[in-house]
Amino acid sequence: MNELLTGEPQSDYNAIYGLMVGGNYPAATEGFDTFLGMYPDHELTANAQHWLGESLLAQRQYENAAQAFLKSYTDFPESELAPESLLKLGTALTGMGNAPAACETYEQLLANFQFAAPAVLEQAKVQQKRDNCL
């Protein structure tokens, strides 16, 4: 992983994100974790935190993914990815077998982010039905 990192935040983020998009989730997980340690206050940190959760979720590491998405949402509530982080937090909680907490998460998303991307809101409603929240 370290051979990919240049010390330039945008280049490093792009390289790690490329691993994620390419389906190399273990390397992306390691990369985003490294990025967060190297650049804790960079403008891309919020995105990196979210994508760390995505890479963990893709590997079905539900508890770690839930922690990453919760941190993404609580540390960066104004991020454009905050609504999606809540959606994915709910997905991870369902994966952990905690449907009641997932239902609360979807409800919070729908209540607090009425103007989020329509696809995110629709997916939250689908997840609510799947988890028998309604």
Side-chain angles (χ1 to χ4, degrees):
M1 168 50 52
N2 289 336
E3 64 276 1
L4 288 178
L5 302 181
T6 65
E8 201 288 303
Q10 184 70 58
S11 293
D12 290 349
Y13 177 86
N14 291 345
I16 298 163
Y17 185 78
L19 294 169
M20 171 76 188
V21 172
N24 190 345
Y25 303 118
T29 298
E30 180 184 345
F32 284 123
D33 195 45
T34 300
F35 183 95
L36 292 166
M38 289 175 65
Y39 312 112
D41 299 317
H42 192 271
E43 64 186 28
L44 290 170
T45 300
N47 288 13
Q49 183 64 48
H50 173 84
W51 292 112
L52 172 62
E54 289 279 6
S55 65
L56 291 162
L57 188 61
Q59 297 172 78
R60 294 189 167 107
Q61 294 182 26
Y62 297 120
E63 187 171 339
N64 290 337
Q67 291 171 1
F69 288 125
L70 181 61
K71 183 171 177 53
S72 175
Y73 175 67
T74 57
D75 287 5
F76 308 102
E78 302 301 319
S79 166
E80 65 184 25
L81 290 173
E84 192 171 341
S85 289
L86 270 181
L87 175 65
K88 297 302 177 105
L89 172 58
T91 302
L93 289 167
T94 297
M96 293 169 57
N98 193 345
C103 291
E104 289 178 31
T105 302
Y106 300 134
E107 190 61 39
Q108 183 179 3
L109 166 60
L110 294 169
N112 295 337
F113 293 99
Q114 298 94 353
F115 301 108
V120 170
L121 297 175
E122 184 58 34
Q123 186 62 37
K125 292 174 186 174
V126 167
Q127 297 290 84
Q128 280 184 317
K129 288 178 185 170
R130 188 196 73 196
D131 289 345
N132 297 313
C133 300
L134 304 175

